[in-house]
């Protein structure tokens, strides 16, 4: 059975504030876009997204989005990023908030999200979701970061070596987080693995970014290690999880006059919850030290196994490989199209990609490489006002999904 989430986003772009002669220079630059789409999961929807660049500080920005559907679902998102104490300090601060209510939406819970599950095991339920996160990132004084914090904000930089102490930007980031997923009116029993409703914790990220361009890298690599820790409470057990993501980018030789650049991009992702098989006392009872489904090792969605819905496969451990062929055509007609001419669109990109991965109940590389699920897809991506917008269609053995999202997947 194939579920099609076919999305149509209109081109009703507009700019609410555009810098022009006579406009007060102290006002930030603002752009916004309304859109409409339809999907099986949330129905017919309308929304608006906007960005304010230079809000409060020249390098900072504020992003927001809101969506409302005819099924009664709604989504709200807001973030503020890249705020500094001063150019002399090495800290970069941000905040992110997401809140949503979904009506009659499909979720994969319990046995429905293990490696051998089938699409028909999903359940229809209402859900209230929320996620709030603070960010404090410290740019380490090594590599390009030796010259100061602003190196951590530059979209482009030279690659000067193959080690963190000689090239790239290394940083240590702390993200206190709160996450909620409360299910109601579920058609069927909610398994224990979908609980508790809320988690609190700290995410720590060690990042070495040695790419030549954060928006459209053609050379270099990026290494990210995430450590998630929920310290537990009287109502829930503590747990911790690690994630490792390694990306490489390799420019291919020119073979045609109409391609500005061609790049092969690779990503390897691994995740594990080491506390999975440990127990501790919670309110006088023994409980597994495991995160709920929405915080465990997951595949499917915007970044991994993109031919499946988010959280399609969940377990203690996950392993995933991605490969993309990215082509930048020399032909760029967007500036001549209606509406696109209102924005700075320096490039568009054609992409083909393939993903393979699986989850398991133990971090065993032999098991994780067996009977891996796959997805194939194609995408068109744009840089619009400094933001990468990606539209992609992905297919898998069970599903097919069309998405519109921001930022490269890796």
């Amino acid at each position: 059975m194939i579920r099609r989430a076919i999305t149509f986003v209109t081109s009703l772009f507009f700019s609410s504030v555009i810098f022009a002669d006579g406009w007060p220079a102290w006002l930030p630059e603002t752009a916004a876009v309304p859109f409409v789409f339809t999907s099986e999961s949330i129905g017919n929807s309308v929304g608006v997204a906007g960005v304010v660049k230079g809000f409060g500080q020249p390098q900072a920005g504020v992003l927001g989005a809101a969506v409302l559907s005819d099924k009664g679902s709604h989504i709200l998102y807001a973030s503020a990023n890249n705020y500094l104490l001063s150019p002399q300090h090495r800290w970069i601060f941000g905040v992110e908030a997401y809140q949503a209510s979904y009506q009659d939406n499909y979720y994969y819970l319990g046995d429905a999200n293990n490696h051998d599950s089938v699409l028909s095991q999903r359940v229809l339920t209402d859900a209230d979701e929320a996620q709030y996160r603070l960010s404090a990132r410290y740019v380490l004084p090594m590599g390009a970061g030796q010259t100061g914090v602003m190196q951590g904000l530059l979209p482009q930089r030279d690659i000067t070596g193959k080690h963190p102490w000689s090239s790239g930007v290394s940083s240590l980031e702390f993200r206190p987080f709160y996450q909620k997923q409360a299910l109601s009116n579920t058609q069927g029993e909610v398994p224990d693995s979908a609980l508790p409703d809320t988690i609190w914790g700290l995410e720590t990220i060690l990042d070495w970014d040695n790419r030549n361009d954060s928006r459209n890298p053609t050379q270099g690599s990026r290494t990210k290690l995430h450590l998630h820790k929920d310290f537990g409470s009287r109502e829930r057990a503590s747990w911790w999880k690690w994630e490792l993501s390694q990306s490489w980018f390799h420019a291919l030789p020119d073979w045609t006059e109409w391609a500005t650049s061609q790049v092969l991009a690779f990503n390897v992702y691994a995740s594990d919850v080491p506390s999975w098989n440990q127990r501790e006392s919670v309110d006088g009872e023994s409980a597994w030290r495991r995160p709920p489904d929405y915080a465990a090792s997951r595949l499917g969605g915007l970044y991994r196994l993109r031919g499946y819905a988010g959280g399609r496969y969940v377990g203690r451990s996950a392993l995933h490989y991605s490969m993309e062929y990215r082509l930048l055509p020399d032909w760029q007609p967007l500036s001549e199209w209606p509406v696109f001419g209102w924005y700075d669109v320096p490039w568009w990109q054609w992409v083909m990609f393939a993903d393979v991965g699986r989850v398991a109940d133990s971090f065993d590389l032999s098991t994780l490489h067996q009977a891996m699920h796959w997805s194939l897809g194609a995408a068109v991506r744009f840089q619009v006002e400094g933001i990468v917008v990606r539209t992609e269609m992905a297919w898998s053995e069970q599903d097919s999904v069309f998405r519109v999202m921001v930022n490269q997947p890796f």
Side-chain angles (χ1 to χ4, degrees):
M1 181 172 61
I2 297 178
R3 179 179 64 87
R4 296 186 179 274
I6 305 301
T7 306
F8 174 72
V9 180
T10 62
S11 296
L12 300 177
F13 293 90
F14 67 88
S15 290
S16 58
V17 178
I18 299 293
F19 280 122
D21 292 340
W23 192 266
W26 51 268
L27 286 179
E29 182 179 357
T30 304
V33 52
F35 52 86
V36 299
F37 66 92
T38 182
S39 74
E40 179 185 2
S41 58
I42 64 174
N44 302 313
S45 305
V46 297
V48 61
V51 61
V52 183
K53 296 188 290 185
F55 185 77
Q57 296 181 355
Q59 79 290 336
V62 174
L63 177 67
V67 176
L68 181 65
S69 84
D70 61 357
K71 291 174 62 174
S73 300
H74 69 263
I75 304 170
L76 299 173
Y77 174 83
S79 67
N81 298 289
N82 298 337
Y83 284 89
L84 308 177
L85 294 176
S86 74
Q88 289 72 42
H89 289 83
R90 291 187 169 271
W91 288 98
I92 303 173
F93 297 95
V95 61
E96 188 175 24
Y98 155 80
Q99 187 168 331
S101 177
Y102 297 103
Q103 308 298 313
D104 295 330
N105 199 18
Y106 284 111
Y107 282 79
Y108 302 85
L109 308 173
D111 292 338
N113 60 36
N114 64 37
H115 172 72
D116 298 318
S117 62
V118 295
L119 201 64
S120 59
Q121 292 177 270
R122 62 187 180 176
V123 298
L124 196 64
T125 181
D126 299 340
D128 290 322
E129 296 187 358
Q131 202 170 145
Y132 304 100
R133 185 166 59 192
L134 300 175
S135 172
R137 177 185 173 207
Y138 183 80
V139 177
L140 298 171
M142 54 195 301
Q146 296 180 72
T147 60
V149 68
M150 296 305 295
Q151 287 292 328
L153 301 175
L154 294 178
Q156 297 175 325
R157 67 177 67 91
D158 293 330
I159 297 175
T160 56
K162 298 182 179 180
H163 306 287
W165 51 86
S166 63
S167 183
V169 172
S170 299
S171 61
L172 184 63
E173 185 172 356
F174 302 97
R175 292 180 176 179
F177 67 84
Y178 165 85
Q179 192 170 354
K180 169 187 174 182
Q181 185 185 89
L183 306 179
S184 60
N185 300 322
T186 304
Q187 296 182 12
E189 184 178 353
V190 178
D192 291 342
S193 61
L195 304 173
D197 288 351
T198 62
I199 57 175
W200 298 74
L202 176 67
E203 178 183 7
T204 304
I205 304 172
L206 183 60
D207 182 8
W208 176 42
D209 188 350
N210 197 33
R211 300 172 295 172
N212 65 336
D213 190 324
S214 61
R215 297 165 181 159
N216 183 28
T218 60
Q219 300 176 42
S221 64
R222 188 177 193 184
T223 305
K224 295 184 73 175
L225 174 64
H226 296 243
L227 300 176
H228 307 255
K229 174 68 175 179
D230 186 326
F231 298 92
S233 68
R234 290 185 178 180
E235 292 79 27
R236 68 184 192 280
S238 63
W239 54 267
W240 73 282
K241 177 180 74 172
W242 63 261
E243 297 176 286
L244 179 64
S245 175
Q246 176 65 59
S247 303
W248 298 272
F249 307 91
H250 179 69
L252 298 176
D254 295 337
W255 60 272
T256 177
E257 294 181 355
W258 56 271
T260 302
S261 72
Q262 301 169 85
V263 176
L264 281 181
F266 302 91
N267 177 264
V268 180
Y269 167 85
S271 174
D272 185 47
V273 183
S275 62
W276 189 268
N277 291 322
Q278 301 172 9
R279 302 183 75 97
E280 69 180 22
S281 177
V282 176
D283 198 20
E285 297 184 3
S286 179
W288 292 110
R289 296 183 58 202
R290 300 176 180 177
D293 285 350
Y294 58 85
S297 298
R298 295 159 52 95
L299 297 180
L302 298 171
Y303 305 102
R304 290 173 281 277
L305 283 185
R306 286 165 279 179
Y308 294 91
R312 175 63 184 87
Y313 296 106
V314 180
R316 167 186 164 169
S317 307
L319 183 67
H320 184 265
Y321 300 95
S322 286
M323 181 177 69
E324 294 194 344
Y325 168 70
R326 303 175 180 178
L327 182 146
L328 215 64
D330 185 55
W331 173 61
Q332 214 282 55
L334 299 183
S335 60
E336 302 174 3
W337 291 6
V339 178
F340 277 94
W342 302 350
Y343 295 87
D344 177 25
V345 187
W347 54 261
W348 68 337
Q349 186 179 64
W350 303 347
V351 182
M352 293 185 295
F353 61 85
D355 304 326
V356 293
R358 73 160 290 174
V359 298
D361 291 333
S362 64
F363 191 75
D364 181 273
L365 291 178
S366 176
T367 301
L368 288 168
H369 281 97
Q370 295 176 10
M372 302 178 83
H373 296 290
W374 58 268
S375 65
L376 300 172
V380 178
R381 298 169 186 165
F382 316 83
Q383 180 177 309
V384 182
E385 295 291 342
I387 298 174
V388 176
V389 179
R390 58 183 172 109
T391 62
E392 60 190 28
M393 185 75 197
W395 295 266
S396 67
E397 55 198 312
Q398 294 185 7
D399 211 349
S400 63
V401 183
F402 179 77
R403 290 188 177 91
V404 179
M405 188 53 183
V406 297
N407 294 331
Q408 300 276 11
F410 59 88

